[in-house]
Amino acid sequence: MTNTPRAARFLALASSALAFCGAATASPQSAVELAQQGDDPAWAITEGLTTEIGPRQAATEAEAAARRWALARLAAMGFANVREEQFMMPTWVRGDEEASLTGPFQPQKLHIAALGNSASTGPKGIEGEIVYFASYDALLAAPDAMVKGKIVFIDHQMKAAQDGSGYGQYGRARFTGPNAAAKKGAIATVIRSIGTDNHRVPHTGGTNFEKGVKPIPAGALSNPDADQLVRQWRRVTATPVAGGASPGALRLKLLLTPQNLGQQHSGNIIAEVPGSDPAASPVIIACHLDSWDLATGAIDDAAGCGIITAAAKHVMTAGQPRRTIRLLWAGAEEVGVFGGKAYFEAHGKEKHAVAMESDFGADRVWRVDFKLPDSAKSLADRISAAVAPFGVTRGKYPASGGADVGALIEAGVPAVDLQQDGTRYFDLHHTADDTLDKVDPAQLRQNVVAWTAVLAILANSSDAELP
Ligand SMILES: [Zn+2]
């Protein structure tokens, strides 16, 4: 936030808005000026949602409270057709979680978080011998006999990258590592957190078991705790010095008591800026309202909802766009993109001009990517030129959208991605550390300015460009 007094900022916004009153379509530049000078709805939403609601895991009462909060806030901001679209989904909630290395060295506690869809160990916990795998691929290659009856540990620390590109590769240990271990007869799986920090905060996230595979308990250790486990593993597997005895097997005690609550309600929140041409297909912009339960979900994804909503608000204030802008605050993204799938089921057959999503934190946008029809060549050039002043360069690869608009894009809807700097995103992702203090207001503002520039152009594009 700037230090500009609130009243002065309001006047700047009001006079700027007045200047464009009556214009059929405001120039994209006028919306960008609003984003640069105006009040900061992105911060207000991020601060408000994280402060007044806090953690909001999918299909829990907290997420329902977040939907009520969202409905009230979006209506108060002047959006049209603000509504909730409910759906049902299988719901998993965390219980107690403890892990200890129990031998052959002095017993010691580790910091662990259960993975979504983990089975319970029961209230007494389980204890077993650890078998170490350097990577997910090493686990896949292992014979069943090596794993059967043991607790599988999967190593390999993800490294930070601006584009977050390690997540897909290292993330497999979480996405399907426990499933692979269960198929080989493991009694539990513990992974190194899919994260780039070295703090004692484990990173949770969903894991998935195939149909027919009985889920096993599955958790993630914080990176320093994983380091500790690995040091002990190296000692127990080192060749004993001549005459020395092996210290014995490495053992872990695990208590995880999550519960499956069966089918529960979740929902998407939808709001619109109505376009002046009712025949033109809408622009859809998405974020997700739910968060993991360990923190207040500031960067994942309150900030994303703040960014897309602020951009839509600035475009709306600058003058009615030609196309309708539809905001999707999706429910239940973290636990399996249930909201994105429900939106596609309800609206996938409707025509959408183009899709955008913000779900990669709150740090600055550095690249713009496109997946547009050939008819939109000059549109892409105009967008690239419009964001260039904000330090955003044009990428070489096609836009892929995000999870919640993924089904639409797969079905052929064009996409524009504003890629955020993800260098520190996986320090915080899905941890107890994802809190408001991690959001840098200046970088959040840069997101809003870049988004406003792009959205204003897309929402006023012609049918020849985006049929
Ligand atoms: Zn997210």
Side-chain angles (χ1 to χ4, degrees):
M1 297 247 288
T2 65
N3 294 321
T4 322
R6 200 174 176 82
R9 278 190 286 146
F10 175 76
L11 279 177
L13 177 81
S15 59
S16 180
L18 275 175
F20 301 103
C21 257
T25 38
S27 73
Q29 188 51 36
S30 62
V32 171
E33 279 165 16
L34 281 175
Q36 287 173 309
Q37 300 163 12
D39 206 342
D40 199 342
W43 178 265
I45 288 168
T46 309
E47 193 270 349
L49 190 57
T50 54
T51 303
E52 294 171 29
I53 305 294
R56 44 197 184 278
Q57 194 183 332
T60 65
E61 167 50 30
E63 196 202 27
R67 285 197 297 281
R68 293 192 292 274
W69 188 96
L71 289 169
R73 175 60 62 107
L74 290 163
M77 288 177 77
F79 290 103
N81 304 324
V82 179
R83 62 191 187 273
E84 176 174 349
E85 295 184 351
Q86 287 205 350
F87 52 85
M88 302 293 286
M89 52 166 285
T91 304
W92 172 99
V93 290
R94 189 178 307 283
D96 293 331
E97 32 203 28
E98 290 172 17
S100 311
L101 287 164
T102 51
F105 305 107
Q106 180 66 20
Q108 45 186 297
K109 282 196 167 174
L110 305 176
H111 288 229
I112 192 165
L115 301 179
N117 297 323
S118 164
S120 174
T121 59
K124 292 193 178 128
I126 57 172
E127 188 168 2
E129 195 179 311
I130 288 175
V131 55
Y132 170 96
F133 293 100
S135 67
Y136 173 76
D137 290 321
L139 168 64
L140 290 190
D144 292 5
M146 198 173 173
V147 171
K148 200 166 169 48
K150 294 187 178 160
I151 297 175
V152 161
F153 173 76
I154 312 173
D155 202 2
H156 241 196
Q157 183 169 9
M158 178 183 172
K159 299 292 187 291
Q162 189 178 23
D163 64 0
S165 56
Y167 188 54
Q169 182 180 330
Y170 295 98
R172 294 178 304 156
R174 191 193 85 217
F175 310 147
T176 51
N179 177 69
K183 281 176 25 184
K184 291 176 189 286
I187 59 169
T189 303
V190 171
I191 64 166
R192 177 187 284 280
S193 278
I194 310 303
T196 50
D197 61 298
N198 62 349
H199 293 270
R200 285 192 88 183
V201 285
H203 296 237
T204 190
T207 192
N208 282 297
F209 295 94
E210 286 168 47
K211 260 207 165 72
V213 175
K214 190 166 183 282
I216 55 174
L221 296 177
S222 81
N223 277 312
D225 288 284
D227 293 342
Q228 181 77 330
L229 184 153
V230 172
R231 279 192 298 272
Q232 290 202 356
W233 172 259
R234 293 211 178 109
R235 277 171 167 71
V236 302
T237 52
T239 313
V241 284
S246 165
L250 185 60
R251 298 184 65 80
L252 186 85
K253 187 168 192 311
L254 190 63
L255 174 80
L256 301 173
T257 59
Q259 277 181 281
N260 286 308
L261 303 181
Q263 293 285 321
Q264 303 288 330
H265 276 103
S266 180
N268 290 326
I269 300 298
I270 292 172
E272 290 178 346
V273 178
S276 60
D277 181 351
S281 52
V283 176
I284 180 160
I285 56 176
C287 63
H288 66 86
L289 180 57
D290 67 306
S291 77
W292 275 106
D293 55 337
L294 298 177
T296 59
I299 64 152
D300 191 11
D301 185 29
C305 289
I307 291 163
I308 70 161
T309 307
K313 171 75 176 167
H314 292 313
V315 172
M316 175 166 70
T317 306
Q320 188 179 24
R322 184 177 160 266
R323 296 179 189 274
T324 292
I325 299 169
R326 184 178 291 173
L327 292 80
L328 168 62
W329 287 25
E333 188 272 346
E334 295 293 5
V335 289
V337 200
F338 292 98
K341 288 171 195 160
Y343 180 85
F344 186 75
E345 267 170 37
H347 302 283
K349 292 211 167 70
E350 296 165 24
K351 189 125 181 72
H352 294 78
V354 61
M356 293 180 72
E357 183 167 321
S358 180
D359 184 16
F360 201 51
D363 283 350
R364 62 180 285 270
V365 174
W366 64 285
R367 198 180 80 203
V368 59
D369 296 330
F370 301 99
K371 181 177 163 274
L372 296 173
D374 289 345
S375 55
K377 280 210 168 84
S378 81
L379 182 70
D381 292 342
R382 291 206 309 281
I383 289 173
S384 301
V387 294
F390 314 123
V392 182
T393 56
R394 187 170 183 164
K396 290 194 282 282
Y397 302 106
S400 56
D404 288 306
V405 297
L408 288 170
I409 290 164
E410 211 164 286
V413 174
V416 178
D417 289 347
L418 286 175
Q419 306 289 6
Q420 293 165 290
D421 186 338
T423 309
R424 65 185 188 124
Y425 184 67
F426 289 103
D427 289 353
L428 307 168
H429 183 247
H430 298 181
T431 69
D433 246 356
D434 179 4
T435 48
L436 185 67
D437 53 294
K438 310 307 185 304
V439 177
D440 170 5
Q443 295 197 63
L444 184 70
R445 173 67 63 95
Q446 187 264 8
N447 272 269
V448 174
V449 170
W451 262 81
T452 303
V454 175
L455 188 59
I457 293 171
L458 291 175
N460 289 300
S461 60
S462 72
D463 291 341
E465 290 174 314
L466 288 177

